[in-house]
PDB file of all heavy atoms in Angstrom:
ATOM      1  N   ASP A 218     -28.312 -13.386  13.939  1.00 97.00           N
ATOM      2  CA  ASP A 218     -27.699 -14.384  14.800  1.00 97.00           C
ATOM      3  C   ASP A 218     -26.263 -14.578  14.349  1.00 97.00           C
ATOM      4  O   ASP A 218     -25.369 -14.762  15.242  1.00 97.00           O
ATOM      5  CB  ASP A 218     -28.542 -15.659  14.682  1.00 97.00           C
ATOM      6  CG  ASP A 218     -29.883 -15.619  15.214  1.00 97.00           C
ATOM      7  OD1 ASP A 218     -30.078 -14.606  16.192  1.00 97.00           O
ATOM      8  OD2 ASP A 218     -30.724 -16.417  15.018  1.00 97.00           O
ATOM      9  N   ALA A 219     -26.017 -14.552  13.044  1.00 97.00           N
ATOM     10  CA  ALA A 219     -24.747 -14.735  12.530  1.00 97.00           C
ATOM     11  C   ALA A 219     -23.754 -13.730  12.925  1.00 97.00           C
ATOM     12  O   ALA A 219     -22.573 -13.883  13.405  1.00 97.00           O
ATOM     13  CB  ALA A 219     -24.689 -15.025  11.006  1.00 97.00           C
ATOM     14  N   VAL A 220     -24.251 -12.501  12.816  1.00 97.00           N
ATOM     15  CA  VAL A 220     -23.371 -11.292  13.299  1.00 97.00           C
ATOM     16  C   VAL A 220     -23.177 -11.338  14.782  1.00 97.00           C
ATOM     17  O   VAL A 220     -22.097 -11.024  15.264  1.00 97.00           O
ATOM     18  CB  VAL A 220     -24.121  -9.925  12.836  1.00 97.00           C
ATOM     19  CG1 VAL A 220     -23.280  -8.832  13.416  1.00 97.00           C
ATOM     20  CG2 VAL A 220     -24.148  -9.893  11.368  1.00 97.00           C
ATOM     21  N   ALA A 221     -24.184 -11.818  15.496  1.00 96.00           N
ATOM     22  CA  ALA A 221     -24.054 -11.910  17.062  1.00 96.00           C
ATOM     23  C   ALA A 221     -22.928 -12.959  17.426  1.00 96.00           C
ATOM     24  O   ALA A 221     -22.092 -12.694  18.251  1.00 96.00           O
ATOM     25  CB  ALA A 221     -25.316 -12.255  17.717  1.00 96.00           C
ATOM     26  N   LEU A 222     -22.808 -13.972  16.677  1.00 96.00           N
ATOM     27  CA  LEU A 222     -21.818 -14.986  16.800  1.00 96.00           C
ATOM     28  C   LEU A 222     -20.484 -14.484  16.464  1.00 96.00           C
ATOM     29  O   LEU A 222     -19.480 -14.656  17.098  1.00 96.00           O
ATOM     30  CB  LEU A 222     -22.086 -16.200  16.045  1.00 96.00           C
ATOM     31  CG  LEU A 222     -23.263 -17.137  16.503  1.00 96.00           C
ATOM     32  CD1 LEU A 222     -23.513 -18.259  15.528  1.00 96.00           C
ATOM     33  CD2 LEU A 222     -23.055 -17.605  17.859  1.00 96.00           C
ATOM     34  N   LEU A 223     -20.470 -13.581  15.350  1.00 96.00           N
ATOM     35  CA  LEU A 223     -19.187 -12.960  14.908  1.00 96.00           C
ATOM     36  C   LEU A 223     -18.613 -12.000  16.017  1.00 96.00           C
ATOM     37  O   LEU A 223     -17.445 -11.833  16.143  1.00 96.00           O
ATOM     38  CB  LEU A 223     -19.472 -12.214  13.669  1.00 96.00           C
ATOM     39  CG  LEU A 223     -18.262 -11.406  13.013  1.00 96.00           C
ATOM     40  CD1 LEU A 223     -17.143 -12.306  12.743  1.00 96.00           C
ATOM     41  CD2 LEU A 223     -18.753 -10.581  11.852  1.00 96.00           C
ATOM     42  N   ALA A 224     -19.553 -11.414  16.828  1.00 95.00           N
ATOM     43  CA  ALA A 224     -19.122 -10.506  17.763  1.00 95.00           C
ATOM     44  C   ALA A 224     -18.203 -11.092  18.901  1.00 95.00           C
ATOM     45  O   ALA A 224     -17.543 -10.444  19.653  1.00 95.00           O
ATOM     46  CB  ALA A 224     -20.289  -9.791  18.463  1.00 95.00           C
ATOM     47  N   SER A 225     -18.394 -12.453  18.967  1.00 93.00           N
ATOM     48  CA  SER A 225     -17.571 -13.156  19.969  1.00 93.00           C
ATOM     49  C   SER A 225     -16.558 -14.125  19.324  1.00 93.00           C
ATOM     50  O   SER A 225     -15.600 -14.488  19.990  1.00 93.00           O
ATOM     51  CB  SER A 225     -18.494 -13.915  20.933  1.00 93.00           C
ATOM     52  OG  SER A 225     -19.279 -14.801  20.281  1.00 93.00           O
ATOM     53  N   ASP A 226     -16.831 -14.537  18.145  1.00 93.00           N
ATOM     54  CA  ASP A 226     -15.946 -15.580  17.577  1.00 93.00           C
ATOM     55  C   ASP A 226     -15.795 -15.403  16.069  1.00 93.00           C
ATOM     56  O   ASP A 226     -16.825 -15.412  15.353  1.00 93.00           O
ATOM     57  CB  ASP A 226     -16.473 -16.915  17.793  1.00 93.00           C
ATOM     58  CG  ASP A 226     -15.674 -18.070  17.178  1.00 93.00           C
ATOM     59  OD1 ASP A 226     -14.424 -17.997  17.266  1.00 93.00           O
ATOM     60  OD2 ASP A 226     -16.197 -18.996  16.635  1.00 93.00           O
ATOM     61  N   VAL A 227     -14.576 -15.172  15.629  1.00 93.00           N
ATOM     62  CA  VAL A 227     -14.325 -15.047  14.182  1.00 93.00           C
ATOM     63  C   VAL A 227     -13.747 -16.306  13.520  1.00 93.00           C
ATOM     64  O   VAL A 227     -12.649 -16.706  13.943  1.00 93.00           O
ATOM     65  CB  VAL A 227     -13.322 -13.803  13.882  1.00 93.00           C
ATOM     66  CG1 VAL A 227     -13.057 -13.690  12.462  1.00 93.00           C
ATOM     67  CG2 VAL A 227     -13.907 -12.576  14.587  1.00 93.00           C
ATOM     68  N   PRO A 228     -14.490 -17.042  12.702  1.00 93.00           N
ATOM     69  CA  PRO A 228     -14.026 -18.232  12.086  1.00 93.00           C
ATOM     70  C   PRO A 228     -12.770 -18.014  11.188  1.00 93.00           C
ATOM     71  O   PRO A 228     -12.981 -17.438  10.093  1.00 93.00           O
ATOM     72  CB  PRO A 228     -15.165 -18.826  11.320  1.00 93.00           C
ATOM     73  CG  PRO A 228     -16.332 -18.055  11.850  1.00 93.00           C
ATOM     74  CD  PRO A 228     -15.770 -16.699  12.286  1.00 93.00           C
ATOM     75  N   LEU A 229     -11.602 -18.360  11.588  1.00 90.00           N
ATOM     76  CA  LEU A 229     -10.351 -18.235  10.869  1.00 90.00           C
ATOM     77  C   LEU A 229     -10.098 -19.421   9.975  1.00 90.00           C
ATOM     78  O   LEU A 229     -10.621 -20.523  10.270  1.00 90.00           O
ATOM     79  CB  LEU A 229      -9.168 -17.916  11.732  1.00 90.00           C
ATOM     80  CG  LEU A 229      -9.266 -16.673  12.691  1.00 90.00           C
ATOM     81  CD1 LEU A 229      -8.119 -16.621  13.597  1.00 90.00           C
ATOM     82  CD2 LEU A 229      -9.509 -15.353  11.881  1.00 90.00           C
ATOM     83  N   ALA A 230      -9.298 -19.194   8.902  1.00 88.00           N
ATOM     84  CA  ALA A 230      -8.941 -20.276   8.079  1.00 88.00           C
ATOM     85  C   ALA A 230      -8.055 -21.261   8.919  1.00 88.00           C
ATOM     86  O   ALA A 230      -7.310 -20.825   9.758  1.00 88.00           O
ATOM     87  CB  ALA A 230      -8.120 -19.740   6.837  1.00 88.00           C
ATOM     88  N   PRO A 231      -8.111 -22.632   8.663  1.00 81.00           N
ATOM     89  CA  PRO A 231      -7.396 -23.519   9.404  1.00 81.00           C
ATOM     90  C   PRO A 231      -5.919 -23.379   9.033  1.00 81.00           C
ATOM     91  O   PRO A 231      -5.519 -22.831   8.027  1.00 81.00           O
ATOM     92  CB  PRO A 231      -7.876 -24.882   8.828  1.00 81.00           C
ATOM     93  CG  PRO A 231      -8.481 -24.598   7.473  1.00 81.00           C
ATOM     94  CD  PRO A 231      -9.004 -23.190   7.607  1.00 81.00           C
ATOM     95  N   GLY A 232      -5.002 -23.822   9.937  1.00 72.00           N
ATOM     96  CA  GLY A 232      -3.527 -23.710   9.693  1.00 72.00           C
ATOM     97  C   GLY A 232      -2.937 -22.463  10.219  1.00 72.00           C
ATOM     98  O   GLY A 232      -3.652 -21.668  10.948  1.00 72.00           O
ATOM     99  N   THR A 233      -1.761 -22.246   9.845  1.00 57.00           N
ATOM    100  CA  THR A 233      -1.018 -21.080  10.300  1.00 57.00           C
ATOM    101  C   THR A 233      -0.858 -20.017   9.300  1.00 57.00           C
ATOM    102  O   THR A 233      -0.270 -18.904   9.631  1.00 57.00           O
ATOM    103  CB  THR A 233       0.392 -21.522  10.736  1.00 57.00           C
ATOM    104  OG1 THR A 233       1.077 -22.076   9.577  1.00 57.00           O
ATOM    105  CG2 THR A 233       0.290 -22.504  11.826  1.00 57.00           C
ATOM    106  N   THR A 234      -1.315 -20.246   7.998  1.00 60.00           N
ATOM    107  CA  THR A 234      -1.199 -19.241   6.976  1.00 60.00           C
ATOM    108  C   THR A 234      -1.755 -17.889   7.331  1.00 60.00           C
ATOM    109  O   THR A 234      -1.223 -16.799   7.113  1.00 60.00           O
ATOM    110  CB  THR A 234      -1.835 -19.715   5.715  1.00 60.00           C
ATOM    111  OG1 THR A 234      -1.142 -20.962   5.323  1.00 60.00           O
ATOM    112  CG2 THR A 234      -1.625 -18.696   4.577  1.00 60.00           C
ATOM    113  N   CYS A 235      -2.949 -17.902   7.919  1.00 64.00           N
ATOM    114  CA  CYS A 235      -3.691 -16.690   8.263  1.00 64.00           C
ATOM    115  C   CYS A 235      -3.104 -15.916   9.414  1.00 64.00           C
ATOM    116  O   CYS A 235      -3.485 -14.849   9.785  1.00 64.00           O
ATOM    117  CB  CYS A 235      -5.202 -17.044   8.559  1.00 64.00           C
ATOM    118  SG  CYS A 235      -5.374 -17.903  10.131  1.00 64.00           S
ATOM    119  N   ARG A 236      -2.016 -16.488  10.070  1.00 71.00           N
ATOM    120  CA  ARG A 236      -1.441 -15.878  11.249  1.00 71.00           C
ATOM    121  C   ARG A 236      -0.155 -15.187  10.954  1.00 71.00           C
ATOM    122  O   ARG A 236       0.690 -14.952  11.761  1.00 71.00           O
ATOM    123  CB  ARG A 236      -1.305 -16.948  12.300  1.00 71.00           C
ATOM    124  CG  ARG A 236      -2.630 -17.375  12.834  1.00 71.00           C
ATOM    125  CD  ARG A 236      -2.522 -18.624  13.777  1.00 71.00           C
ATOM    126  NE  ARG A 236      -3.833 -18.979  14.373  1.00 71.00           N
ATOM    127  CZ  ARG A 236      -4.871 -19.689  13.701  1.00 71.00           C
ATOM    128  NH1 ARG A 236      -4.526 -20.045  12.520  1.00 71.00           N
ATOM    129  NH2 ARG A 236      -5.972 -19.960  14.349  1.00 71.00           N
ATOM    130  N   THR A 237       0.154 -14.926   9.588  1.00 80.00           N
ATOM    131  CA  THR A 237       1.338 -14.144   9.202  1.00 80.00           C
ATOM    132  C   THR A 237       0.897 -12.793   8.708  1.00 80.00           C
ATOM    133  O   THR A 237      -0.204 -12.640   8.306  1.00 80.00           O
ATOM    134  CB  THR A 237       2.047 -14.948   8.188  1.00 80.00           C
ATOM    135  OG1 THR A 237       1.168 -15.052   6.936  1.00 80.00           O
ATOM    136  CG2 THR A 237       2.517 -16.339   8.668  1.00 80.00           C
ATOM    137  N   PRO A 238       1.790 -11.792   8.748  1.00 86.00           N
ATOM    138  CA  PRO A 238       1.403 -10.493   8.228  1.00 86.00           C
ATOM    139  C   PRO A 238       0.982 -10.507   6.778  1.00 86.00           C
ATOM    140  O   PRO A 238       0.122  -9.667   6.333  1.00 86.00           O
ATOM    141  CB  PRO A 238       2.736  -9.653   8.349  1.00 86.00           C
ATOM    142  CG  PRO A 238       3.418 -10.318   9.535  1.00 86.00           C
ATOM    143  CD  PRO A 238       3.107 -11.782   9.411  1.00 86.00           C
ATOM    144  N   GLU A 239       1.548 -11.424   5.943  1.00 88.00           N
ATOM    145  CA  GLU A 239       1.183 -11.506   4.538  1.00 88.00           C
ATOM    146  C   GLU A 239      -0.394 -11.798   4.314  1.00 88.00           C
ATOM    147  O   GLU A 239      -0.924 -11.414   3.330  1.00 88.00           O
ATOM    148  CB  GLU A 239       1.923 -12.538   3.864  1.00 88.00           C
ATOM    149  CG  GLU A 239       3.421 -12.153   3.646  1.00 88.00           C
ATOM    150  CD  GLU A 239       4.266 -12.277   5.018  1.00 88.00           C
ATOM    151  OE1 GLU A 239       3.835 -12.928   5.918  1.00 88.00           O
ATOM    152  OE2 GLU A 239       5.327 -11.654   5.017  1.00 88.00           O
TER     153      GLU A 239
END
Side-chain angles (χ1 to χ4, degrees):
D218 289 344
V220 175
L222 291 175
L223 175 63
S225 59
D226 179 42
V227 178
L229 302 178
T233 59
T234 303
C235 67
R236 293 169 175 82
T237 64
E239 288 74 20

